[in-house]
Amino acid sequence: MTTSTSTSNNILEIKNLTKQYPGFLLDSISLSIPKGSIIGLIGENGAGKSTTIKTALDLVHKDSGTITFWGQEISSSNQIKEDIGVVFDGINFYKTLTPAKTGKVLAASYSQWNSSQYSDYLQRFQLPADKEIKTFSKGMKTKLCIAAALSHAPKLLILDEATSGLDPVMRDDILDVFLDFVQDEEHSILMSSHISTDLEKIADYIAFIHKGKLLFCKTKDELRYCYGILRCRTEEFQRIDKSDILAYRKEDYQWDVLVADKENAKRKYKPCVVDDATIDDILLLYVKGERIK
C-alpha cells in the first residue's frame, strides 16, 4: 500500500521492505511520503514502527526491499544524511555537555548548521544554553533533540515517538513548529506516535502497521469523515454484508463493527447506531477485534 502520488513528488519511497527477527517479521512494507506532507505512523507496541524507521535510515540492515530518498539510497550520499533530521524517543547527546556546547559539536558535523536558528529554538523551547543536559527532564531533552534536528536545514524530519515526553502545552507548540516546517510544500515529516490527538491535529496521512504488516495508508480526512463504528445487536450483526465489515468486536451487550463508509452504513442498516470513529477507535478495533476471513 502506498499513498497515491507520483514518484517524482515523493521524498521517501519504501518498497517491499522486509526484516526478520526471531519471532517477528516486518513483512513487505511499502510506503511513500509526498513533498509537503506529514504521515503519522501508528500501531501497537512491537508492531514494527521503529523497525521500519530504523531500517529506512540504514541503522538496521534490511533483508530485502528498496528505500530511496529523493530517488537515491541513503548510503550513497552524505548530502542525503544532511537533509534528514531524526528524533528518537531518547537523548543522543553526551549528558555532560550543555546545549551551547552541543551546538558547537553539531556545527562541526553539519555543513548546513544554522547556529542562529538553533539559539532561537533553545529560547523558544525555554532551554537553558549553559546547563548540563544531565540536569534536564525527559521533556527538555526531547525539545533539545527537536531543536537540533531542525537546525541543520533538513528537508525531511523522521520522528519516532518524539512528543511522548512533553506536556500538553509544549506538545501543542511543537506541533505548530512541525506544521510550519511543511508549509512550503517542499518539506515532509514521517512521525510515529501513540498520541493519536497529535496525529489528528497535523497528519495528512495515517499509516497503520499491525504485526509487521502495513494494513493501510489513508488520508486522515478519509478516516475522520468516512470511517465509522456501527453498533448493533446480534440479530442485526448477522444481517450485515460481510463486504462492509473491516473489523468487528463483541461487547457485553452489542457488536461494534468498523465500516469504511459510515453514511452508506446509516442508509443500509437503519436499526443500527453508526458513530464517528477516532484514530484510537480504528486502531483498537483492528488490534483487539476480528476480521472476516
Side-chain angles (χ1 to χ4, degrees):
M1 300 178 190
T2 61
T3 53
S4 56
T5 54
S6 63
T7 299
S8 61
N9 194 42
N10 294 328
I11 282 184
L12 168 63
E13 289 197 352
I14 299 171
K15 294 182 179 178
N16 301 318
L17 176 63
T18 300
K19 176 65 183 178
Q20 187 159 18
Y21 293 107
F24 176 78
L25 172 65
L26 191 68
D27 191 4
S28 298
I29 300 292
S30 293
L31 184 68
S32 300
I33 302 180
K35 291 179 182 177
S37 68
I38 299 176
I39 291 190
L41 196 58
I42 65 171
E44 71 275 27
N45 287 335
K49 303 186 301 297
S50 292
T51 300
T52 299
I53 287 173
K54 289 178 181 178
T55 308
L57 290 168
D58 204 28
L59 299 174
V60 171
H61 179 72
K62 67 181 184 292
D63 293 336
S64 62
T66 59
I67 301 158
T68 57
F69 296 86
W70 301 278
Q72 301 178 63
E73 292 186 11
I74 191 170
S75 58
S76 66
S77 169
N78 288 329
Q79 183 59 46
I80 289 179
K81 295 176 182 178
E82 292 241 351
D83 286 340
I84 302 171
V86 180
V87 180
F88 291 114
D89 182 19
I91 189 74
N92 299 315
F93 305 126
Y94 290 113
K95 295 180 181 180
T96 55
L97 293 180
T98 64
K101 291 178 179 176
T102 298
K104 291 178 181 178
V105 172
L106 294 173
S109 303
Y110 291 102
S111 63
Q112 301 172 160
W113 183 256
N114 187 325
S115 297
S116 176
Q117 187 176 51
Y118 178 65
S119 295
D120 288 344
Y121 277 124
L122 293 184
Q123 188 171 10
R124 178 171 180 174
F125 297 161
Q126 300 178 348
L127 296 173
D130 296 320
K131 279 195 173 182
E132 290 187 351
I133 295 171
K134 66 183 180 183
T135 67
F136 285 10
S137 66
K138 181 182 178 183
M140 293 170 72
K141 292 173 183 175
T142 298
K143 288 186 284 184
L144 177 61
C145 291
I146 293 170
L150 287 165
S151 297
H152 61 82
K155 295 186 176 76
L156 171 67
L157 278 181
I158 296 182
L159 311 166
D160 191 5
E161 299 294 340
T163 60
S164 62
L166 303 176
D167 65 70
V169 174
M170 180 48 67
R171 250 191 15 252
D172 194 62
D173 189 28
I174 294 291
L175 294 178
D176 286 339
V177 170
F178 294 159
L179 286 171
D180 290 342
F181 179 77
V182 299
Q183 280 306 302
D184 65 357
E185 299 188 355
E186 291 295 322
H187 298 80
S188 298
I189 297 175
L190 174 62
M191 175 181 178
S192 81
S193 179
H194 283 102
I195 306 172
S196 61
T197 52
D198 287 358
L199 301 180
E200 286 175 341
K201 176 176 179 178
I202 69 170
D204 300 295
Y205 300 90
I206 301 293
F208 178 33
I209 294 182
H210 177 55
K211 294 183 178 178
K213 293 180 179 289
L214 182 67
L215 295 190
F216 63 73
C217 182
K218 296 184 179 293
T219 68
K220 177 186 65 181
D221 286 349
E222 180 178 352
L223 297 177
R224 287 177 62 190
Y225 300 123
C226 297
Y227 275 49
I229 298 176
L230 185 150
R231 307 187 195 277
C232 60
R233 294 170 297 186
T234 298
E235 58 268 28
E236 294 160 342
F237 175 76
Q238 292 171 344
R239 290 196 290 268
I240 296 175
D241 188 334
K242 288 182 171 56
S243 65
D244 290 333
I245 300 174
L246 297 177
Y248 64 93
R249 189 181 184 191
K250 177 71 170 70
E251 301 291 354
D252 290 339
Y253 303 105
Q254 67 185 28
W255 292 80
D256 289 348
V257 182
L258 183 66
V259 295
D261 188 339
K262 64 186 177 188
E263 295 305 323
N264 179 60
K266 288 176 183 177
R267 292 190 296 269
K268 200 169 177 180
Y269 308 108
K270 290 184 179 178
C272 305
V273 173
V274 182
D275 294 328
D276 295 341
T278 65
I279 292 174
D280 278 346
D281 292 332
I282 294 168
L283 188 150
L284 284 170
L285 267 169
Y286 267 115
V287 171
K288 293 192 171 183
E290 299 180 63
R291 278 171 281 165
I292 301 296
K293 305 297 183 185

